[in-house]
């Protein structure tokens, strides 16, 4: 007993110590070695005695210990009778703990709990709100149909309680009562409707959860409360925020028209070539009749009010907002979620898994959102396999011609991983990249063939399977690879790989007529010991060879068929009987035997290597159904957008509720919340601009000479209504941005200097200058949040210090600032291409310092004067434009390709103001335009220079060539040879650099041509005509070497033409830029082959 008394004295200091004391007594009890596992009756007897004591202190200690036991997961159900006696205790602390206990065990001990119903009913009228709420919780936990009317009455009373905490518990009780008796649905809906009108943030989340559980289809209940829920969202607890956001996502999909129509409508506005004027006129009239898309203000309210929650600490809230933006916001605005989702990748692995799954689905449809964060998806050695495979999936989805070189180098490292499952997944990824990006198919295939000599059997096996799929797409070209794989049959033991090789040989048995019969002979020897999968392929191989080469393989095939006839596996026995009847003719053979060859050797369709996340987009992101890729019970599908928006007036509220959302009311109501978020949103406010306010703020800030008094008066007027407050939200920063943009447009020739000045003026750190430049770019595209009132008052007071204040605002960059890397911003003004930082980081380890020492740009060997049509005189209404590449370093920037444009006026009238209009460039590409030409006389001609940074890709640079009256869409697509600058280097340096660029960095081809076409002068002439390369001195007559570097990144491009015996030559290209290398190989091969 002394040890027990020690336990409760310690308990008064802390529950855990007492519990430890209890456990100590139980281990020293007479039960001996089994004391830990036996129930200690004496301990529970002591607790019962304490509960029956006359002293409240003893009862309180006992209840604390019992609740402590429950918290640790121990079973305290046998104490129920002793605890329930104290339900009527007058001590509030004891009563609270008794209710906590009863909520846990009322469902298990229903009969005993029913005895205390009258006590619970009395407690529902207790002055203490915690007691009232606890009594309701216990009552709703007793799941007995007989008390449904009592529960219904209690819920109705609690829903009208003065305490929001009690009303919150009433909302929780609604779900419990509905699951107990669904027939009460209509009465419960009345209570839900009443609670939805509640103004308390404590109640909002719980009642929406009850709505989702009981009547998710009753959208009409939400109409009047929609604006209130949107405005309360930031102040609701995190669990409630998630529930409300999911519900409002479904609501928005039923009440608003699709914002994606706007994006569709912008495309294809040009007249088709064969379309008559009448047809074009009809189309224009149809388009005019269609009302242009304008976003519903309520739709905008939801998008704007959820944006601050992207900064939430709770991953579930961020994920909920991300799915809302994905499903209901315009595509141009959805990009802001990418940075927040990437931030969640720093969380624990379970959160990472869910977030990566959702990113994988998003990246299939909209690659551009996550391309700037490519390095965030690189695999770490500490990642678990499930995370690694998901990151691989995303990297594959983001792969394109611009970044595939970097990704292939990354994949080369992954293949060497100790995690074999991950290494195998990487090989499959390389296969998918090869099928998706045709330029690197051969490179990937060569890399996979190199992996066949790997020591690791799993890597080899997976490589074989992937090579099989790739060869199916272009079987005629790779006889050598099939022969190489046939040799591997002796060493590979993995059944899937062996079966794949046999299938390949069978499909291509006519291309390898000597090897196939020998493979069948070897397989016949080991047939009985092979895996079932391999046996089936041996039977297929035997059948195909019997049909194509029966002279050599007839007896072998019959031997294999006899072995298969008595095999233990019934699949193999069935296949054997089927094949025998089909290929071996006899009197019983049916009509199918005539077509045996067509059946076995039919052209097989190439396998489609698709993302496993391709079909998940029909599930709502962030849901269990999306994670499992199966419709889970309780999943509510998102409806399609309505063609015509339902009547928006249903969301208008009565006069008494107008304070919730009318401008004056909102200004008062939202002030605390806005103040709370104002610090983190200052940067957003200055860097974004709302589409609601574009017309007003644009017209005001567009006037460069607007006086400060006018700006101040416009700010003063923003106090009067929230709509005006929103429209004025970014005026100061926007005006500053427009003035800066105007200065830049006037001084285009000095853009780099201007950029440096801008950085010095606006901020002292590179981070804030980036944010500032992004604010200039995104001022017309992205949305802005309305400024907080405190900020607007501050701006009104400090009228004379506006510019200074703007600069200060831009310095306070939030750590979680969402608009730092806004994907919707125009990329033209970026100082570097989007992917260059990651490429530079990846190339750091390749020891470029030694290579750079031998690189020196030389003069071009040959400058072809071939011109390309930019604008035909018929399309240009008399203005004709041609362009050519002078192969000179560009004066506008060392990363730009120089382009000369010849402009001709073929009309009989003067053409005025020829200039470059709107530019539609891919991400990262930059263009330096020519100065506007005032006029061009009839039959006149002028040559102008431009510089274009193509980012080492053959992507098209699209822009508008404009005159005074018209604008014409034109394109410049560079031949791959013009993306290079010739390099002078010695033969020794050439060989050294070539030795460092092997494996996946090397592509080659065999060329067949007449010997007279392989003279040194002919080879030189043909190569330099295609590509701007420099000749490297060679000590061997049969080897011609050429060297160049890419204009943008300075990567070496080494070309070797090695003459073989007879009329063949080998063309080898070594470069890190595998895409450019493959394209150059394709262009050089036919030129060198022809006479």
């Amino acid at each position: 007993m002394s040890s027990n008394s020690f336990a409760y004295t310690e308990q008064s200091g802390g529950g855990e110590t007492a519990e430890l004391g209890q456990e100590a007594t139980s281990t020293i009890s007479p039960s001996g070695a089994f004391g830990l596992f036996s129930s200690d009756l004496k301990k529970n007897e002591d607790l019962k005695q304490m509960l029956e004591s006359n002293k409240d202190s003893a009862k309180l200690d006992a209840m604390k210990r019992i609740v402590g036991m429950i918290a640790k997961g121990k079973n305290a159900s046998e104490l129920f009778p002793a605890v329930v006696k104290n339900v009527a205790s007058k001590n509030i602390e004891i009563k609270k703990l008794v209710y906590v206990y009863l909520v846990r065990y009322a469902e298990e001990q229903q009969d005993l709990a029913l005895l205390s119903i009258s006590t619970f009913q009395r407690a529902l009228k207790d002055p203490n709100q915690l007691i009232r709420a606890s009594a309701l919780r216990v009552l709703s936990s007793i799941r007995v149909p007989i008390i449904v009317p009592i529960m219904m009455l209690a819920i109705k009373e609690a829903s009208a309680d003065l305490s929001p905490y009690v009303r919150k518990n009433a909302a929780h009780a609604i779900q419990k009562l509905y699951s107990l008796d669904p027939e009460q649905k209509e009465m419960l809906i009345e209570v839900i409707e009443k609670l939805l009108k509640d103004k308390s943030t404590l109640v909002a989340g719980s009642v929406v959860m009850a709505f989702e559980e009981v009547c998710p289809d009753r959208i009409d209940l939400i109409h009047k409360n929609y604006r209130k829920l949107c405005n309360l969202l930031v102040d609701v607890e995190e669990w409630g925020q998630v529930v409300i956001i999911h519900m409002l996502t479904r609501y928005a999909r039923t009440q608003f028209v699709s914002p994606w129509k706007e994006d569709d409508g912008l495309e294809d506005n040009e007249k088709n070539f064969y379309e008559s004027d009448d047809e074009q006129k009809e189309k224009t009239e149809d388009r005019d009749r269609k009302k242009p898309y304008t976003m519903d203000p309520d739709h905008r309210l939801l998008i704007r009010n959820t944006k601050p929650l992207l900064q939430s600490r709770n991953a579930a809230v961020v994920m909920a907002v991300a799915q809302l933006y994905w499903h209901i916001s315009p595509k141009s605005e959805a990009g802001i979620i990418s940075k927040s989702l990437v931030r969640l990748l720093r969380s624990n692995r379970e959160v990472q898994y869910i977030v990566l799954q959702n990113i994988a689905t998003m990246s299939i449809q909209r690659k551009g959102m996550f391309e700037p964060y490519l390095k965030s998806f690189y695999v770490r050695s500490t990642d678990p396999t499930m995370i690694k495979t998901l990151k691989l999936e995303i990297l594959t989805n983001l792969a394109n011609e611009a970044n595939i070189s970097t990704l292939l180098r990354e994949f080369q490292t992954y293949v060497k991983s100790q995690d074999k499952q991950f290494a195998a997944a990487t090989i499959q990824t390389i296969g998918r990249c090869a099928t998706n990006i045709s330029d690197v198919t051969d490179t990937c295939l060569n890399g996979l063939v190199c992996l066949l000599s790997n020591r690791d059997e799993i890597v080899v096996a997976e490589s074989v399977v992937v090579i099989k799929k790739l060869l199916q797409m272009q079987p005629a070209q790779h006889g050598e690879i099939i022969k190489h794989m046939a040799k591997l049959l002796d060493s590979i033991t993995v059944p899937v790989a062996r079966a794949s090789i046999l299938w390949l040989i069978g499909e291509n048995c006519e291309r390898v007529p000597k090897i196939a019969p020998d493979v069948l002979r070897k397989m016949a020897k080991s047939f009985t010991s092979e895996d079932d999968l391999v046996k089936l392929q041996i039977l297929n191989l035997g059948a195909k060879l019997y049909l194509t080469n029966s002279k050599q393989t007839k007896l072998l095939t019959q031997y294999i068929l006899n072995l298969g006839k008595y095999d233990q596996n019934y699949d193999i026995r069935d296949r054997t009987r089927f094949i025998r009847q089909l290929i071996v003719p006899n009197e019983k053979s049916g009509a199918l035997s005539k077509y045996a060859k067509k059946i076995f050797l039919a052209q097989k369709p190439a396998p489609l290597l698709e993302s496993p996340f391709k079909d998940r987009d029909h599930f709502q992101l962030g849901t269990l159904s999306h994670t499992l890729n199966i419709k889970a019970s309780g999943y509510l599908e998102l409806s399609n957008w309505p063609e015509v928006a339902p009547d928006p007036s249903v969301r208008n509220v009565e006069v008494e509720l107008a304070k919730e959302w009318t401008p004056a009311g909102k200004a008062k109501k939202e002030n605390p919340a806005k103040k709370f978020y104002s610090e983190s949103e200052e940067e957003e406010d200055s860097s974004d601009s709302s589409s609601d306010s574009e017309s007003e703020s644009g017209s005001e800030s567009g006037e460069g000479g607007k006086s400060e008094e006018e700006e101040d008066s416009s700010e003063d007027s923003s106090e009067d209504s929230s709509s005006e407050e929103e429209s004025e939200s970014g005026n100061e920063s926007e005006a500053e941005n427009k003035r800066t943009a105007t200065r830049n447009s006037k001084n285009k020739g000095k853009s780099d200097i201007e950029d440096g000045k801008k950085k010095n003026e606006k901020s002292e750190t590179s981070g804030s200058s980036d944010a500032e430049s992004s604010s200039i770019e995104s001022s017309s595209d992205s949305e802005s949040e309305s400024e907080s009132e405190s900020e607007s008052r501050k701006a009104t007071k400090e009228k004379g210090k506006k510019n200074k204040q703007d600069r200060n605002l831009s310095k306070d960059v939030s750590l979680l600032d969402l608009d730092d890397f806004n994907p919707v911003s125009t990329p033209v003004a970026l100082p570097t291409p989007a992917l260059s930082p990651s490429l530079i980081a990846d190339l750091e380890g390749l020891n470029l310092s030694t290579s750079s020492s031998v690189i020196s740009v030389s003069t071009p060997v040959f400058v072809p004067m071939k011109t390309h049509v930019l604008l035909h005189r018929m399309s240009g209404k008399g203005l004709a434009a041609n362009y050519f590449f002078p192969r000179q370093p560009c004066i506008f920037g060392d990363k730009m390709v120089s382009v000369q444009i010849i402009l001709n006026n073929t009309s009989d009238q003067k053409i005025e103001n020829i200039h470059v209009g709107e530019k539609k460039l891919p991400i990262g590409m930059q263009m330096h335009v020519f100065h506007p030409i005032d006029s061009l006389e009839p039959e006149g001609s002028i040559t102008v220079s431009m510089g274009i940074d193509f980012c080492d890709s053959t992507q098209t640079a699209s822009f508008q060539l404009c005159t005074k009256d018209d604008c014409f869409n034109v394109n410049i697509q560079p031949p791959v040879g013009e993306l290079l600058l010739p390099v002078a280097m010695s033969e020794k340096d050439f060989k050294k650099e070539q030795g460092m660029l092997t494996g996946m960095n090397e592509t080659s081809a065999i060329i067949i041509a007449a010997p007279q076409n392989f003279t040194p002068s002919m080879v030189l002439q043909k190569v330099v005509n295609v590509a701007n390369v420099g000749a490297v001195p060679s000590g061997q007559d049969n080897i011609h070497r050429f060297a160049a570097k890419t204009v943008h990144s300075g990567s070496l491009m080494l070309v070797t033409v090695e003459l073989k015996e007879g009329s063949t030559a080998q063309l080898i290209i070594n470069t890190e830029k595998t895409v450019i290398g493959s394209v150059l190989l394709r262009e050089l091969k036919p030129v060198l082959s022809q006479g």
Side-chain angles (χ1 to χ4, degrees), residues 7 119 184 226 254 257 295 348 403 418 460 511 550 554-555 621 670 674 722 730 749 779 916 1000 1067 1071 1090:
T119 313
Q184 302 291 324
Y226 171 80
T254 61
V257 292
M295 185 177 279
N348 55 56
N403 59 29
Q418 296 299 313
V460 175
R511 293 192 185 90
S550 60
K554 186 176 181 180
L555 291 171
L621 293 184
E670 289 293 285
K674 288 289 181 182
S722 68
S779 64
V916 173
M1000 281 194 177
L1067 173 62
T1071 180
Q1090 64 194 19

Side-chain angles (χ1 to χ4, degrees), residues 952-965:
D952 290 349
S953 75
T954 53
Q955 294 182 83
T956 304
S958 303
F959 58 96
Q960 287 187 334
L961 189 61
C962 299
T963 62
K964 182 182 178 182
D965 305 312

